[in-house]
Amino acid sequence: MAAYFTKAQYLDNGITERKQGARYFYHLFKLVIMKVGLLIFLCLVFISHEQSIAQILSDTRAITVNMNQVKGVLPKSINLCVGAGRANEGLRADWQRQLKIAHEECGFSYIRFHGLLSDDMGVYFEDKSGNPIYNCQYIDELFDFLLSIKMKPFVELGFMPGALASGSNTIFWWKGNVTPPKDYQKWDGLIKALATHWTERYGEKEVASWYFEVWNEPNLKGAFFTGTQQDYFKLYQETALAIKSVSTKYRVGGPATAGNAWIPDMIDFCVNNKLPIDFISTHDYGVKQGFLDVSGNVGTVLSTDRNHIADNMRHSKDQILQSALPGLALHYTEWSASYTPSDPIHDNYHEAAYILNTIKWAASAVNAMSYWTFTDIFEEAGPRATPFHGGFGLMNYQDIKKPAYYAFTYLNKLGNTELQCADSSAIVCKDDKGNLQALVWNFTIDHPGDSVNNQEFYKRDLPAKNLGYVKFSANGLKPGKYLLHVYQTGYGKNDAYFTYLQLGAPAQLTPAQVKDIKAKNSNQPIEQTTIEISKSGRFEKQFAIRQNDVFFMTLTRL
């Protein structure tokens, strides 16, 4: 440190008066400059501090709820049903293992899949004289398993058994026949035999809790159905009457169309012909064009409309309300961001926020939103060769849970009572014990549009941009001690695909790599602490948020 002297000290040191004065004023000037510099520095720090506070305040998203201000019962549609590829895959041990996990952690109650009547399920044969032979061995194994884990089938009646088919047109690697029956009397006999068998095996009360959906996407002519709309209506009429002949309590519906199609037409047909119908079913996906990818090689582009699917779901509900049967239930038996089993958005962290945004805006308008699908064990285009290939599933082949899986895990942990919340990207609930659950996210579509396909854009490492802070406040809590848990899913957080890319995106995973990916993405809380709620009954929590982050918080009273 420099030494500073008074004028008298300079004289005492024997320095000439002239030199003394020059040196004295030099050090005095230096001291003044340093003090002025310090003052300027402090001013800059103060200004910078004020600016940072202003910046934080401007970037803070405030969410406020009150435990006593209830919106209503949380819609059951959020996780009532989930999809799977085909029935025969449901006989596999790995498929069954994954479904049991998904049921327990995500809460799915029903499952829907293609191919229940296809030849690989061995349901229908004919003897040399053309007499029908029915065989329920494989179906029994599958349905027995579903009921054993407390799930139920959402029965899609298709595709056509080869011995009953009017043509040879098939779809997918596993060759589901997509032609109408060659003999409707034999078709009716098969449907009645199945409904009767299920009634005898499981009881009318149980089967009455199922849903029966006639066919799959018959509007995609030449792909899923070779007939016309009138041919489908004929198929529906025969099938519905056959089911109802076994029990009028059994629920039947359709048209199971792609792209929200045929809803008014379906209702008008049933009304005009006095046919039973208990629900409308249809499908929707969030890409800009197309409905089907048989080969797994179609390039897709995500719609930049953040409410693409939700708006379509609400429109379908309006079509029902404006029809002659306004009380019909509406089931979306397939939906996801993309309709192809080779779209990396399914693996990417963006999908979790996409799911939550769609559910937030559509759940109250529909009776079921069956996400397509719960697993990558899905063979429409044949067995897939890589562990992360853009498959539909919430889990990949190795039981690795994707960000989308955790979106449903968090939804399943919400209490049954939804609280009023003005925030467009949050769902806040309470349970019967007065505990609080808050699901908060950001949903940002940063896809550039038509210039690049999903297959290129979402396959890359896509770091998330910082968006400031969320200040969450809850009033009306009972005073006392609570256990706070905070979970996060987003870029690099419960983001298995991120870990996979860090490993170099290997074509196959070793057991050690699988273990590593699971360990780093196991949904452990990022915060766990005990807090005290005072007599004010107020809880506050602030946290930083990035694009497409998902946070789930629980306050459990001790």
Side-chain angles (χ1 to χ4, degrees), residues 379-431:
E379 297 178 341
E380 287 183 355
R384 310 319 299 266
T386 54
F388 288 96
H389 51 269
F392 287 119
L394 300 174
M395 285 185 274
N396 82 337
Y397 280 122
Q398 290 83 15
D399 302 356
I400 296 173
K401 298 166 183 175
K402 305 178 187 179
Y405 182 94
Y406 291 118
F408 282 104
T409 300
Y410 301 153
L411 285 166
N412 188 47
K413 291 183 178 180
L414 291 170
N416 293 326
T417 302
E418 186 175 0
L419 302 180
Q420 292 182 16
C421 179
D423 192 275
S424 63
S425 299
I427 302 174
V428 187
C429 296
K430 67 178 181 179
D431 60 25

Side-chain angles (χ1 to χ4, degrees), residues 438-452:
L439 187 49
V440 179
W441 66 91
N442 167 266
F443 176 48
T444 299
I445 297 178
D446 51 7
H447 191 288
D450 295 341
S451 62
V452 60

Side-chain angles (χ1 to χ4, degrees), residues 175-354:
K175 299 187 183 304
N177 189 289
V178 295
T179 66
K182 65 181 181 183
D183 185 325
Y184 271 104
Q185 185 175 354
K186 290 182 177 179
W187 171 261
D188 293 349
L190 171 60
I191 300 302
K192 288 180 183 179
L194 288 171
T196 300
H197 172 77
W198 292 326
T199 303
E200 293 171 348
R201 189 175 184 88
Y202 306 113
E204 184 184 44
K205 182 179 179 180
E206 172 60 34
V207 180
S209 69
W210 302 358
Y211 296 90
F212 293 94
E213 183 183 36
V214 181
W215 213 253
N216 176 73
E217 299 189 351
N219 59 318
L220 298 188
K221 187 175 181 181
F224 280 115
F225 193 60
T226 59
T228 64
Q229 184 188 70
Q230 290 305 311
D231 290 328
Y232 172 75
F233 288 161
K234 169 68 172 175
L235 181 67
Y236 176 83
Q237 175 176 320
E238 296 291 334
T239 307
L241 292 175
I243 291 170
K244 294 287 188 178
S245 71
V246 177
S247 175
T248 58
K249 296 179 181 179
Y250 295 169
R251 296 179 288 192
V252 62
T257 43
N260 318 286
W262 292 6
I263 294 174
D265 298 338
M266 181 74 182
I267 295 173
D268 289 345
F269 174 77
C270 291
V271 170
N272 294 336
N273 292 277
K274 296 181 173 56
L275 294 174
I277 183 169
D278 298 294
F279 62 89
I280 288 293
S281 64
T282 189
H283 307 155
D284 200 23
Y285 291 93
V287 290
K288 296 179 67 175
Q289 73 285 317
F291 300 104
L292 177 65
D293 182 10
V294 177
S295 66
N297 295 315
V298 171
T300 46
V301 176
L302 186 72
S303 170
T304 54
D305 178 359
R306 59 187 288 112
N307 294 324
H308 175 97
I309 295 177
D311 286 346
N312 286 337
M313 289 181 173
R314 301 185 77 88
H315 176 67
S316 296
K317 180 64 174 180
D318 288 340
Q319 287 182 312
I320 294 173
L321 292 174
Q322 294 165 15
S323 75
L325 299 174
L328 281 179
L330 173 61
H331 293 266
Y332 268 79
T333 49
E334 289 184 28
W335 78 277
S336 180
S338 175
Y339 63 81
T340 171
S342 298
D343 194 327
I345 192 174
H346 297 136
D347 299 334
N348 202 282
Y349 70 93
H350 292 72
E351 184 76 358
Y354 191 101

Side-chain angles (χ1 to χ4, degrees), residues 2 46 57 112-113 135 213 232 242 273 300 354 420 484 510:
F46 177 77
L57 290 175
R112 173 187 178 269
F113 35 72
N135 173 32
E213 183 183 36
Y232 172 75
N273 292 277
T300 46
Y354 191 101
Q420 292 182 16
L484 170 67
T510 66

Side-chain angles (χ1 to χ4, degrees), residues 337 343-355 371 388-391 393 402-405 444 446 454 456-464 489-498 501 547-548:
D343 194 327
I345 192 174
H346 297 136
D347 299 334
N348 202 282
Y349 70 93
H350 292 72
E351 184 76 358
Y354 191 101
I355 288 168
Y371 186 79
F388 288 96
H389 51 269
K402 305 178 187 179
Y405 182 94
T444 299
D446 51 7
N454 289 5
E456 179 183 347
F457 183 77
Y458 289 109
K459 195 172 185 177
R460 303 173 295 177
D461 180 47
L462 294 169
T489 294
Y491 176 69
K493 300 288 187 179
N494 284 314
D495 182 3
Y497 188 63
F498 170 84
L501 291 179
Q547 285 183 343
N548 296 296

